[in-house]
Amino acid sequence: MSTSATASISSPPSPQLPERFEPVPDFLTAAEPRLVWQRFNELRQIPRPSKAEQAAVRWVENWAADHEFQLRRDARGNLAVDVPASVGREKAPKVVLQAHLDMVCEKNSDTEFDFLKDPIRLLRDGDLITADGTTLGADNGIGVAGMMAMAEDPEVIHGPLELLFTLDEETGLNGVRDLDPALVTGDLLINLDTEDDHMLTVGSAGAQGVSLSFAVTREAEAPAALSLLRLRVTGATGGHSGADIHLGRVNANKVLGEILAALHYKAPGSAIVDLQGGSARNVIPRESEVLLWAEPRTAAAVVEKARGVMRQRYAATDPHLQIELLEEDSEAKPAPWTAETTEAILLLLRRLPNGRLKRSERFPELTQTSANLAVMHCGGETKQDGTVEEEGFHILYSCRSSVMEELFATTERIAIIARELGAEAEILASYPSWELPENSALLEICRREFQRILDQEPEVTAVHGGLECAVLGDKVPRLDVISLGPNIANPHSPDEWVSIASVEKVFQRLLPGLLDALSAES
């Protein structure tokens, strides 16, 4: 793994469908189910960052037209595709299969890649499919491909199906939050966004963001006796801010803040010029950096000590962590923050919570409540007329909890800490947690068939990430909802992978068997 960088996707242009699709790579031609890999191979060639899924939507529309499936959409752009039942199963209850079309766009800093134009480059490592220096998009692309395969494979026996394709999931479940409930006409829903093939997911965390802004004042000029240095934290493992938060991985923003605090107190006069880190609210920050004025030898000694401490502390979770201090060209002599601004922001970074805050009481191995200090940047907001508002330091937080009272208490705590130190705090919109009732008929059938089909007892559990099941169940109360899926690891990072054997297990055996059983129940 190499160091990481973030794709810039603000106000993206409309991505285009490729004129023709590249064939399935040779290393996947024998993988099963072939229809799943065929559709995933097409999807990996379509740009689909959150809020820019237009090309992927057109791909679904073309696929539905080719198969003469009726397609419906709501005002938000979410799609529902109606698939007729297999012969003899027409009276079975309608089953909704659901997945989201967008993906998280993360890449390594040494990878040349444009998420608005380039196809994901697939690699194979034994049983695992990965991408070449970028996120793979198996979250949730393999779910999208899987439900399409269920619809078009004549060997899969099923009742009436409704394929629900949602948008903009990765930035806060926005597509499903705007979903028109009338788009969903079935009563049973299987979400395909679980990332462990021995699990039936029956619960997920709610989430809420916090936006912090701190006014920045600068000195009139650069200090004369100091050097301009750049301190960078790179090579962290990162990952999903829900699914991976319990692993204790490096948060590059917090590590950088800790080093800066040590430098500030051991080298008085050190002064920050610019501070940037993280990429997205739902990603554990993998990279962070600061431009500052400091005495080089003192700074080098502080950084060398911090490097040893951090490498030892995170040896198991972040073996490729890099902390480097570089001398910059100081000819431009940028003005630094005042001492008062520096002290307030460094204290803010030290006091803000991060990581797992509480374990689940119902599922002891699961995180109940967490906070992710996700993004920080310094700069003014550019208005439409081109003017820039007062410069500020900005932080974007993501908090999660399966207990909504704890979620709201956590975001309020962050806001209080920030306000006490002179920052402005805005608590953003939330989405709910989800917990399936224990008397769920769908869960009972799925547990029974899981055991019969795979000869193993499923683990019935919850996840700390957000699932669209929560919003769907809230919007359409009649729905009986469950989530499942194949083994995917390291989503939201360039180390993401999906298991070939697990895709076969879920989409050639488990899901077809469930659809057969659910349609036979009638």
Side-chain angles (χ1 to χ4, degrees):
M1 176 179 61
S2 53
T3 59
S4 60
T6 305
S8 176
I9 310 172
S10 56
S11 301
S14 179
Q16 301 298 311
L17 273 174
E19 292 184 5
R20 62 179 60 86
F21 290 112
E22 299 172 11
V24 175
D26 290 342
F27 56 74
L28 268 177
T29 53
E32 297 289 350
R34 295 191 181 187
L35 275 173
V36 173
W37 292 111
Q38 179 181 334
R39 296 301 167 220
F40 183 71
N41 179 64
E42 293 173 2
L43 188 55
R44 61 97 182 174
Q45 298 173 60
I46 302 171
R48 52 190 176 98
S50 301
K51 305 185 188 301
E53 308 99 325
Q54 302 94 320
V57 167
R58 289 193 293 275
W59 173 68
V60 173
E61 291 171 341
N62 293 343
W63 172 82
D66 290 344
H67 290 83
E68 299 183 344
F69 295 147
Q70 181 181 354
L71 181 142
R72 296 171 284 115
R73 68 172 59 77
D74 64 10
R76 181 61 173 80
N78 300 298
L79 304 173
V81 176
D82 296 313
V83 180
S86 301
V87 175
R89 302 294 175 94
E90 293 85 357
K91 295 183 180 180
K94 182 181 290 185
V95 174
V96 184
L97 300 179
Q98 186 266 321
H100 62 84
L101 281 172
D102 61 318
M103 65 174 284
V104 168
C105 298
E106 287 276 305
K107 72 181 187 71
N108 290 328
S109 59
D110 58 356
T111 299
E112 293 293 329
F113 194 87
D114 186 342
F115 281 102
L116 292 170
K117 296 189 302 184
D118 299 336
I120 302 294
R121 300 186 291 265
L122 301 183
L123 300 173
R124 180 170 181 171
D125 181 9
D127 176 55
L128 307 182
I129 297 299
T130 64
D132 185 9
T134 70
T135 36
L136 174 63
D139 172 17
N140 190 212
I142 205 70
V144 169
M147 67 187 198
M148 294 170 85
M150 296 303 100
E152 60 181 307
D153 186 349
E155 299 298 317
V156 176
I157 306 302
H158 57 79
L161 296 180
E162 185 171 82
L163 310 187
L164 181 60
F165 301 85
T166 52
L167 307 180
D168 197 13
E169 187 267 359
E170 297 290 5
T171 59
L173 312 187
N174 293 316
V176 74
R177 285 166 66 178
D178 294 335
L179 179 133
D180 182 349
L183 194 65
V184 180
T185 61
D187 293 334
L188 306 174
L189 187 144
I190 300 176
N191 167 278
L192 298 173
D193 204 9
T194 285
E195 295 165 352
D196 193 321
D197 68 15
H198 73 278
M199 285 172 46
L200 293 175
T201 303
V202 297
S204 63
Q208 187 171 46
V210 188
S211 176
L212 309 179
S213 296
F214 201 107
V216 168
T217 57
R218 292 187 182 272
E219 301 288 0
E221 57 185 11
L226 301 177
S227 297
L228 189 62
L229 308 174
R230 188 175 299 275
L231 173 60
R232 304 179 70 224
V233 176
T234 61
T237 304
H240 191 294
S241 65
D244 299 321
I245 200 74
H246 66 291
L247 299 175
R249 293 174 179 172
V250 161
N251 180 306
N253 292 339
K254 289 291 283 186
V255 165
L256 185 66
E258 188 173 338
I259 299 172
L260 283 175
L263 182 60
H264 180 67
Y265 293 112
K266 293 183 179 180
S270 300
I272 294 171
V273 174
D274 187 38
L275 185 57
Q276 310 280 343
S279 60
R281 198 164 76 179
N282 55 1
V283 177
I284 299 171
R286 297 178 292 127
E287 189 168 279
S288 191
E289 68 176 36
V290 61
L291 184 67
L292 75 162
W293 292 98
E295 197 286 310
R297 285 181 295 180
T298 305
V302 171
V303 171
E304 182 61 30
K305 181 177 181 180
R307 185 184 293 117
V309 170
M310 297 301 173
R311 284 181 173 174
Q312 183 176 16
R313 183 188 300 174
Y314 297 106
T317 61
D318 296 81
H320 303 284
L321 179 66
Q322 297 291 324
I323 300 172
E324 55 184 344
L325 186 67
L326 308 170
E327 195 153 352
E328 292 284 308
D329 180 3
S330 60
E331 185 175 348
K333 297 195 178 301
W337 298 351
T338 61
E340 292 78 10
T341 291
T342 299
E343 289 175 2
I345 290 176
L346 291 182
L347 183 57
L348 179 66
L349 290 176
R350 292 299 300 272
R351 288 183 61 187
L352 289 172
N354 184 76
R356 172 190 268 181
L357 305 181
K358 186 176 180 181
R359 291 177 181 269
S360 168
E361 297 175 2
R362 181 180 176 188
F363 303 104
E365 297 304 313
L366 185 69
T367 300
Q368 181 163 295
T369 305
S370 71
N372 181 43
L373 201 168
V375 182
M376 60 183 188
H377 68 95
C378 188
E381 182 180 351
T382 303
K383 297 182 177 180
Q384 289 185 350
D385 62 6
T387 60
V388 178
E389 290 185 343
E390 180 183 8
E391 184 183 20
F393 177 68
H394 309 280
I395 290 176
L396 184 61
Y397 245 100
S398 172
C399 301
R400 301 176 189 267
S401 183
S402 54
V403 179
M404 296 303 288
E405 292 81 2
E406 283 187 16
L407 174 64
F408 300 144
T410 301
T411 54
E412 186 60 33
R413 172 189 168 195
I414 291 168
I416 289 171
I417 291 172
R419 290 167 183 152
E420 286 177 345
L421 293 172
E424 294 183 0
E426 179 187 3
I427 297 177
L428 307 177
S430 66
Y431 60 76
S433 59
W434 164 57
E435 186 171 341
L436 188 69
E438 293 184 2
N439 63 352
S440 161
L442 179 59
L443 174 59
E444 181 181 347
I445 295 170
C446 287
R447 292 183 77 156
R448 181 193 72 205
E449 293 303 312
F450 197 109
Q451 175 72 50
R452 180 186 67 81
I453 296 164
L454 300 178
D455 195 27
Q456 67 179 97
E457 186 72 23
E459 179 184 352
V460 178
T461 189
V463 294
H464 189 57
L467 285 177
E468 291 164 296
C469 304
V471 182
L472 286 163
D474 195 48
K475 280 182 168 282
V476 190
R478 70 172 186 279
L479 280 175
D480 201 350
V481 184
I482 202 163
S483 180
L484 56 87
N487 292 344
I488 296 171
N490 306 312
H492 300 190
S493 88
D495 295 322
E496 180 184 6
W497 57 253
V498 62
S499 161
I500 297 173
S502 184
V503 168
E504 186 274 336
K505 175 181 176 180
V506 170
F507 293 115
Q508 185 142 311
R509 292 185 284 157
L510 178 60
L511 188 54
L514 287 177
L515 293 177
D516 186 6
L518 288 168
S519 62
E521 288 287 318
S522 60

